[in-house]
Each structure stands twice: as structure tokens, then as C-alpha cells.
Amino acid sequence: PDFVAKTQGKSALERASVLECDETLAVTHNDMAKQGDTNVAAFTEAGPKGAFNAVLHFICYVHANGKIYELDGLKSGPVQVGEGGASDLLPIAASVVSRYAQENDEHRINLMALAPAE
């Protein structure tokens, strides 16, 4: 069953647990990531100074209860990065990512949006 069906009616923490344990999603993610142009060696300890030392790492931005949060598996929990609703999510997330890229001279960033089909 797909993620939505498996998590229907579950709390946010229960959905997070299902997501963490979804081996099919992890394998699919890694397979797709390997098809890209990423030079994985550049992300290891042998990479350039300041290289991000996590392979296939991703961060998610979400809105909940009037706030915008960054969800990063390398951090201990959600980090509030702004206030607003669905219409504020993209501009706030773009601002955070842009600031990160500028402060860290990082240009190896890909963005993806998950949105309902219309």
C-alpha cells in the first residue's frame, strides 16, 4: 500500500515513524538519486573544503498551525523558519535555502515540490 493509505488517520508522529521505516521509499529514493549527475565523491570527507558530508541528504519545509518549519534529519527536531500558511511556504523556504547557499558558498542544491495534482 502507498504511504497515504498506510498513514490514513494516524498522528504526525505515527506518520513520521511509518516514513522512517519505509524501506521501499528509501530504496526508491536512493535509486533515483543515483541516476542524477551528483558526484558522490564530492560529498565525502575527501571532498572539497566545506563539502557537505552527507550523501543523498534532504530537508523538507512544511507549514503547520501558522508556522513554517524546516525538517532536517540531521537536527534533533523541527526548526521554525517563519510564520504563515500554505501561500507563504514557497517564498519562506526559498529564502532560507537561498541564504544557506550564499552563506556556505554552496551551489549543489536541488529543489522539489510535492503538491496536489490539478
Side-chain angles (χ1 to χ4, degrees):
D2 69 349
F3 178 77
V4 173
K6 287 193 288 189
T7 59
Q8 192 75 25
K10 294 190 180 291
S11 72
L13 288 176
E14 290 169 325
R15 288 191 308 271
S17 178
V18 171
L19 187 59
E20 285 178 334
C21 298
D22 191 330
E23 186 172 338
T24 301
L25 179 62
V27 168
T28 302
H29 169 73
N30 288 338
D31 287 346
M32 296 301 292
K34 289 175 187 174
Q35 293 177 22
D37 295 327
T38 302
N39 177 359
V40 175
F43 289 90
T44 66
E45 293 293 333
K49 181 181 177 193
F52 191 62
N53 293 321
V55 177
L56 312 178
H57 176 75
F58 66 92
I59 298 169
C60 177
Y61 294 92
V62 299
H63 68 91
N65 302 320
K67 295 182 177 23
I68 309 296
Y69 294 97
E70 176 182 87
L71 306 178
D72 181 342
L74 298 179
K75 296 183 180 174
S76 62
V79 175
Q80 184 182 336
V81 295
E83 294 189 6
S87 63
D88 303 301
L89 178 59
L90 180 57
I92 290 173
S95 174
V96 172
V97 171
S98 178
R99 186 171 49 250
Y100 171 83
Q102 290 172 2
E103 290 173 358
N104 295 281
D105 194 29
E106 181 60 69
H107 305 286
R108 297 171 294 185
I109 295 174
N110 292 298
L111 301 176
M112 174 183 10
L114 302 178
E118 295 185 335

